[in-house]
Amino acid sequence: MKLVISALTLILLSFNISSSQILQNDTYQYFVDLNKADNDQLEIELITPVISTATTEFKLPAMVPGTYKVYNFGRFISGLKAFDNSGNELKTEKKDVDTWEISNADKLYRLKYFVDDSFDDTSDNKVFEPAGTSIEKDTVFIFNNHGFFGYFKENLKNEYVLNFTKPEGFYGSSSLVNTLRSNNLEVFTAPDYQFVVDNPIMFCLPDTTTINFDETSVMISVYSPGKGISSADLSAKLKVLLTAIRNFLGGKLSADRYTFLFYFTNKEGSGSFGALEHNYSSLYFMPDVPKESAPYMINQLQSTSAHEFYHTVTPLNLHSEEIGNFDFNDPKMSKHLWLYEGVTEYFADYIQLREGLVDLKEYGKNIERKISGSMMFNDSLPFTEMSLGALGKYEEQYFNVYQKGALIGLSLDILIREESNGIMGLQDVINIMLQKYGKDKSFKDEDLFDEIVALTSPKIGEFFQKYVAGDQRIPYSEIFSKVGIKVKSIPYNKIDMGGIQMGFNQKTYRLVIRQIAEDNSFVKDLGVKSGDELVSINGKEINFMTMRDIFGSLKNKIKEGDNFEMVVARNDESGTEKMETLKAVVSKVKTAFDSEVIVEKELSEQQMKLKTAWLGK
Ligand SMILES: [Zn+2]
């Protein structure tokens, strides 16, 4: 990297990075002093670009790419004030949660406001931490920049300069271009707002390791409060993984630089862990673990890291207009989450299989988990429809992108190989499309299926129409057996609860009954009410691990006549939570199916041929 000290930063140095007397130009010049964090709040100062209109709107995003959820980052902003260059205050008016209208904008020079972090948010719409912000004075700062820095509607393409004063010895890890780094100052630049949002920064005392490939330098940056996991521990595993991905993608990684930002937490968060992808980095939020458990956590992170890294292929370089022309404050959904998330999830595991990091038996277990997982969701809801409705009415179905979405990927890969006599796979189709499209060129949502069919065969079109855009169930057993993977359906009894609908309370971490069928006799006998939160069943605590089993599963065998006892948390009229024990005899069971995946040993010639093509050996 080249260290560039611009005239501007030299001026700033002599003023210790304060914004006084800064010349206004076309650039957003932001100033933040991390030492002044107070009560998990930071003051942000912006010397605005020159605005030529009489009024303007300052915005923070409602949504950012990759999250598929509206968070309204404006709700973390308070005390916004606008000034001209003589320090006179200009009139501002809040238009909606994310928008401030500023009068006499042609005189606007400076904005000041406070930002609260999202990690400490206690509202129901808690931000998934990999997209969120953290302000912990003298400890760690997560700058998902969209939570701190805004934009003017007409000036989305202007350059950004982010000036930070930081605690002594802190380091800002990011793939943003760093133009100044000293013991207590750090300056980053970005060509436009999209780039600012796409490149998070993590500030803390550094624990970093760099892996170099010919074309790419990959930095691993770790914050682990208990020091149980280090960047050196992670880099050994990630080097093997990245080498595998690089081989698979034709011997070259797609970005010229990449930063893995790992934030390990010892606090309770939103309830989910995970990561968010960007073009040049990914940010991980995972539980901090003691040194003894580090190998287990690092194994876990292998698949997550593969998933995030594969995102540099799709959606980042292969996407529809809804994503390419992303509207931060009026986001539109694409029909193709099966591609962006599903195919990504498929390749994250498949690359590890193909490059020998996991074996076929382990991979089979993975398919088994995905089939079972997908059965918890509405399997006859067309995936394209779910995708379009992921921000609203199908929000609770979104998680199926990692289950059924990945199985769609596997099915397509096998069928494309069969149709091409083993010559072509799904990645080859994607490679052709990557040449036509890219970061700055989007495909049309409506045209994607036809384009893929043109590159493959009508049978692939049939698959899309029936199983991705249609409501038919994918015949996994028929498709996967083409490469010798047998899917066995095993029946089990499940209590017939009628049309019960469940949700999850992120504050109490409990399953909650959202809706019940009034006409179901078992539900009536039990006396369960909508709003009840499930605590235990037959003396067993209900949690993430056991929730699939509660009304009957292969593990939890249930039959008619069994006694059923459930403890629920229920609010009384005054809103006080009380535990209620509900009892009933199981009156009616229905048959459900779980799946077992078996890797077949005896294969026909045709199966052998296709399996060899699929595994590349
Ligand atoms: Zn993803």
Side-chain angles (χ1 to χ4, degrees):
M1 196 196 322
K2 204 167 112 193
L3 188 78
V4 184
I5 299 187
S6 68
L8 173 68
T9 42
L10 283 176
I11 295 168
L12 296 179
L13 271 175
S14 59
F15 281 90
N16 194 19
I17 294 225
S18 88
S19 60
S20 50
Q21 309 305 319
I22 301 293
L23 265 186
Q24 196 175 23
N25 51 31
D26 284 339
T27 308
Y28 289 85
Q29 302 174 67
Y30 271 104
F31 296 84
V32 191
D33 187 345
L34 302 182
N35 295 309
K36 290 194 179 145
D38 186 21
N39 207 6
D40 293 346
Q41 199 179 58
L42 272 173
E43 188 179 17
I44 309 289
E45 210 171 345
L46 164 66
I47 303 301
T48 68
V50 176
I51 309 280
S52 49
T53 50
T55 59
T56 188
E57 285 184 350
F58 180 70
K59 284 176 179 289
L60 270 90
M63 184 170 122
V64 290
T67 58
Y68 309 111
K69 198 161 181 342
V70 172
Y71 287 128
N72 295 113
F73 288 95
R75 68 194 159 105
F76 299 104
I77 305 295
S78 59
L80 183 132
K81 285 187 171 160
F83 303 92
D84 67 14
N85 67 357
S86 312
N88 303 310
E89 199 173 331
L90 302 176
K91 194 175 152 227
T92 61
E93 193 188 334
K94 199 158 179 189
K95 286 301 215 192
D96 63 48
V97 60
D98 301 311
T99 308
W100 289 258
E101 188 184 83
I102 298 162
S103 307
N104 295 321
D106 48 347
K107 296 203 173 61
L108 178 63
Y109 172 75
R110 193 158 65 103
L111 278 188
K112 257 171 78 168
Y113 53 88
F114 292 94
V115 177
D116 278 279
D117 64 354
S118 76
F119 279 26
D120 290 316
D121 180 29
T122 50
S123 78
D124 282 339
N125 186 18
K126 192 155 176 175
V127 179
F128 177 50
E129 281 85 349
T133 55
S134 171
I135 301 170
E136 261 190 82
K137 191 175 162 73
D138 298 328
T139 309
V140 63
F141 297 84
I142 294 291
F143 270 75
N144 262 307
N145 293 316
H146 50 257
F148 291 96
F149 309 124
Y151 67 93
F152 297 102
K153 230 169 49 178
E154 317 300 333
N155 302 74
L156 263 167
K157 298 281 175 203
N158 294 41
E159 193 192 353
Y160 277 70
V161 179
L162 311 176
N163 300 278
F164 292 94
T165 306
K166 61 179 183 178
E168 192 90 2
F170 266 44
Y171 182 89
S173 304
S174 176
S175 279
L176 284 175
V177 173
N178 184 287
T179 52
L180 174 79
R181 180 168 280 148
S182 75
N183 229 356
N184 58 353
L185 301 177
E186 202 138 354
V187 180
F188 295 100
T189 62
D192 58 23
Y193 190 63
Q194 187 113 29
F195 202 84
V196 170
V197 174
D198 192 38
N199 288 277
I201 315 166
M202 179 165 80
F203 284 98
C204 57
L205 289 172
D207 169 14
T208 63
T209 301
T210 301
I211 307 170
N212 286 308
F213 295 95
D214 288 345
E215 71 284 1
T216 310
S217 175
V218 179
M219 188 208 255
I220 295 146
S221 180
V222 170
Y223 168 73
S224 161
K227 304 260 178 284
I229 295 189
S230 70
S231 64
D233 297 339
L234 277 158
S235 71
K237 196 83 173 183
L238 283 176
K239 189 169 182 183
V240 175
L241 179 72
L242 289 169
T243 305
I245 297 176
R246 191 168 177 260
N247 277 343
F248 180 73
L249 293 177
K252 211 170 163 253
L253 291 172
S254 37
D256 61 355
R257 62 186 184 282
Y258 199 86
T259 311
F260 284 95
L261 301 169
F262 289 104
Y263 179 105
F264 294 100
T265 182
N266 50 13
K267 290 184 192 157
E268 199 173 274
S270 65
S272 20
F273 296 100
L276 183 62
E277 77 276 12
H278 302 283
N279 278 290
Y280 301 99
S281 58
S282 40
L283 197 150
Y284 300 76
F285 178 80
M286 300 299 280
D288 202 29
V289 291
K291 238 185 167 42
E292 317 76 271
S293 312
Y296 173 77
M297 174 55 69
I298 290 168
N299 259 343
Q300 280 278 300
L301 279 168
Q302 179 167 302
S303 283
T304 315
S305 307
H307 177 105
E308 300 312 326
F309 198 89
Y310 190 86
H311 272 316
T312 58
V313 175
T314 188
L316 296 167
N317 279 290
L318 185 62
H319 51 241
S320 69
E321 290 162 327
E322 285 74 9
I323 289 171
N325 311 326
F326 191 84
D327 189 327
F328 291 101
N329 290 83
D330 187 15
K332 312 275 186 304
M333 279 307 294
S334 154
K335 289 199 283 193
H336 301 301
L337 274 175
W338 68 271
L339 171 67
Y340 314 135
E341 289 300 336
V343 167
T344 296
E345 179 69 5
Y346 165 61
F347 277 120
D349 294 318
Y350 168 72
I351 293 172
Q352 295 181 63
L353 169 68
R354 185 157 171 137
E355 299 295 321
L357 306 192
V358 302
D359 62 19
L360 195 53
K361 201 170 160 211
E362 202 178 335
Y363 184 78
K365 286 281 156 219
N366 183 359
I367 299 176
E368 197 174 285
R369 281 193 296 274
K370 295 222 183 289
I371 296 176
S372 300
S374 74
M375 293 308 153
M376 291 172 73
F377 298 93
N378 181 353
D379 198 32
S380 55
L381 172 67
F383 225 69
T384 48
E385 221 173 281
M386 187 278 284
S387 191
L388 285 172
L391 299 182
K393 67 174 171 176
Y394 297 128
E395 196 182 343
E396 293 195 348
Q397 297 289 322
Y398 172 79
F399 200 67
N400 207 12
V401 296
Y402 307 112
Q403 325 292 330
K404 188 174 177 176
L407 298 167
I408 290 173
L410 172 58
S411 304
L412 277 171
D413 200 8
I414 293 171
L415 292 174
I416 291 170
R417 284 175 202 277
E418 185 184 42
E419 288 295 291
S420 66
N421 259 318
I423 292 168
M424 229 182 169
L426 180 55
Q427 185 63 43
D428 300 297
V429 174
I430 289 174
N431 286 343
I432 296 171
M433 299 197 65
L434 283 172
Q435 281 174 11
K436 181 170 173 190
Y437 300 104
K439 200 173 293 174
D440 303 316
K441 195 171 174 211
S442 310
F443 59 75
K444 283 207 183 312
D445 227 44
E446 287 305 320
D447 297 347
L448 181 64
F449 289 149
D450 290 344
E451 289 208 37
I452 295 176
V453 172
L455 294 171
T456 54
S457 85
K459 208 171 156 200
I460 303 303
E462 234 172 78
F463 178 87
F464 282 134
Q465 289 321 318
K466 277 188 186 161
Y467 308 119
V468 186
D471 60 5
Q472 296 189 42
R473 291 171 180 228
I474 304 175
Y476 296 124
S477 116
E478 183 194 319
I479 297 173
F480 300 169
S481 78
K482 293 176 193 288
V483 292
I485 292 175
K486 194 169 164 183
V487 182
K488 234 169 88 182
S489 257
I490 308 169
Y492 66 91
N493 285 338
K494 208 176 160 107
I495 301 177
D496 184 357
M497 304 281 288
I500 194 167
Q501 277 186 35
M502 311 258 267
F504 185 72
N505 183 337
Q506 299 215 346
K507 275 189 187 158
T508 58
Y509 292 91
R510 290 188 196 127
L511 280 177
V512 42
I513 310 248
R514 295 255 191 250
Q515 223 180 315
I516 43 171
E518 304 284 347
D519 56 351
N520 181 283
S521 63
F522 178 73
V523 166
K524 241 190 239 166
D525 290 353
L526 197 60
V528 69
K529 288 183 178 169
S530 123
D532 282 353
E533 298 193 356
L534 310 192
V535 178
S536 70
I537 278 175
N538 294 344
K540 269 195 217 130
E541 194 203 341
I542 299 167
N543 56 38
F544 268 128
M545 305 300 287
T546 58
M547 67 188 223
R548 287 200 54 232
D549 301 326
I550 54 183
F551 299 120
S553 72
L554 281 178
K555 266 194 220 148
N556 178 27
K557 295 199 165 41
I558 280 176
K559 58 182 189 308
E560 279 165 21
D562 280 357
N563 288 319
F564 187 86
E565 187 185 296
M566 175 160 83
V567 176
V568 299
R570 183 181 290 171
N571 285 352
D572 66 13
E573 277 126 47
S574 68
T576 315
E577 187 181 275
K578 292 239 167 69
M579 293 297 160
E580 299 273 349
T581 303
L582 313 175
K583 289 180 187 175
V585 171
V586 176
S587 51
K588 201 173 149 203
V589 293
K590 57 183 182 183
T591 307
F593 293 90
D594 211 339
S595 303
E596 191 187 348
V597 168
I598 301 157
V599 179
E600 285 180 288
K601 298 231 161 54
E602 306 268 303
L603 299 185
S604 71
E605 202 179 315
Q606 174 62 17
Q607 279 176 312
M608 202 63 208
K609 207 177 128 196
L610 209 53
K611 182 181 176 181
T612 308
W614 178 55
L615 290 178
K617 60 197 154 211

